[in-house]
Amino acid sequence: MDTILGPLYTAVSWIIVQFHKLYSLVFDKDSGWAWGLSIVSLVIVIRIALIPLFVKQIKATRNMQALQPKMKAIQERYKNDRQRQSEEMMKLYKETGTNPFSSCLPILAQSPFFLALYQVLNKIAGGHEVGVLDQTLVDSAREAHIFGAPIAARFMDSGDKVAALGATLTDVRVVTVIMILLMSASQFYTQRQLMTKNVDLSVKTPFMQQQKMLMYIFPIIFAVFGINFPVGVLVYWLTTNVWTFGQQMYIIKRNPTPGSLAYKQRQEKLRAKGKLKEDPAEVQTKKAVEAARANRQQPKRMTKAQRQAAAAQAEAKKAEAKKAAGQKTSLTKDAAVDDQPARAGQQPKKKSGQRKGPQRPKHPSKK
């Protein structure tokens, strides 16, 4: 691993040394302030470099939220065919230009620097040179204490090892426990801020359930692994959590997810300030609804006599309609009876007194 991460050891140690030189102008070069602030500055440099990836993460997360209903439909349709389900999912990602792994880019990009810092602090604790840190700088870093705990000490270190770093086991464990709690709490509130303010709650999707689970799982993971982290790594991770919280708060305030609570609050503020440009279609629909409400007449309250008269009038209209319908039915039946012989192919009977045909002139009778 040292061979693979060697360049990162050099990069991380070089950044720390440069900031240490800067802070040594203000603080004692062997103090925890000089070395601790150097680690904090390392985090800031890395997070500024990762801002483009963070923007991609935000876009990818929103795209995944928007695709959840379609993904759920695909899973229901092809629940018995895993291969077809995967093919349809990949097709959906390709059509929408969504990469499901983009949301993990900032964490993945930070991981090598995190591992490099971890190894650098381990080398410092052992008194070994690493990267651009020569023996003088290594000894200076070993003597640096943050609130009484050496930056290279860990919660699980033995008393002898902590004593060799010039501290007591109680000081180290108290400081590490407080920093682990702060680290876990910052992680929890960062995820909670995302779930309560920047998620469209009108659509219930499996993605929301996953995010809710991560809100509780991540702090526990950090608490468990934190006891094996050196104090300097805890400083690094606490700083990056605070940075993430502030950065996320800025994004939620400036560009919240449509349909989320933060989005509705922002729309209300812009509307109150007169800065919200409403959609013309929405404005027209709103005007039509208001006009319909204005023109709508409430039914007048009638007295008992008026109600009885209205009921009698309605009954009279019904009777007239039935009578007209009966007359029409009678006429239709008569017409049907008259037309029946013709429909049966028979000649209509002629009435009495009607000539059957042309009559011949009568001759005078013979006498």
Side-chain angles (χ1 to χ4, degrees), residues 249-296:
M249 183 183 294
Y250 177 83
I251 294 296
I252 290 174
K253 186 177 180 181
R254 297 286 182 176
N255 189 18
T257 301
S260 63
L261 177 62
Y263 181 82
K264 295 177 181 178
Q265 292 175 348
R266 184 173 184 272
Q267 294 295 96
E268 291 176 0
K269 289 181 179 179
L270 292 177
R271 190 177 290 110
K273 294 180 180 180
K275 296 181 180 180
L276 181 63
K277 296 180 179 180
E278 298 184 1
D279 188 2
E282 293 181 358
V283 174
Q284 187 175 1
T285 304
K286 189 183 295 184
K287 289 182 178 179
V289 172
E290 291 177 356
R293 288 178 179 175
N295 294 330
R296 185 175 62 185

Side-chain angles (χ1 to χ4, degrees), residues 176-240:
T176 52
V177 167
I178 292 174
M179 296 190 72
I180 288 171
L181 291 176
L182 292 175
M183 184 177 65
S184 299
S186 60
Q187 179 67 37
F188 174 79
Y189 281 107
T190 299
Q191 192 69 21
R192 187 174 182 272
Q193 177 183 238
L194 178 66
M195 287 298 300
T196 57
K197 292 187 177 182
N198 204 38
V199 173
D200 186 359
L201 299 177
S202 62
V203 181
K204 303 294 183 181
T205 62
F207 179 79
M208 292 176 58
Q209 298 297 327
Q210 294 173 4
Q211 293 295 316
K212 190 174 181 179
M213 289 177 60
L214 293 177
M215 181 172 65
Y216 296 99
I217 292 175
F218 271 164
I220 296 175
I221 292 175
F222 281 113
V224 171
F225 287 97
I227 60 177
N228 292 313
F229 291 162
V231 174
V233 173
L234 294 178
V235 172
Y236 173 93
W237 208 253
L238 177 60
T239 305
T240 195

Side-chain angles (χ1 to χ4, degrees), residues 63-106:
N63 290 339
M64 290 297 294
Q65 289 178 356
L67 291 180
Q68 286 300 311
K70 295 182 180 179
M71 293 170 63
K72 189 174 182 180
I74 292 174
Q75 291 173 353
E76 291 292 332
R77 183 179 299 177
Y78 304 106
K79 59 182 178 181
N80 297 325
D81 190 350
R82 296 291 182 181
Q83 183 177 357
R84 182 64 185 278
Q85 186 181 120
S86 299
E87 292 175 356
E88 292 295 325
M89 288 287 190
M90 296 304 296
K91 183 179 178 181
L92 179 64
Y93 293 148
K94 186 176 181 181
E95 290 176 353
T96 57
T98 303
N99 186 356
F101 300 104
S102 296
S103 58
C104 303
L105 286 177

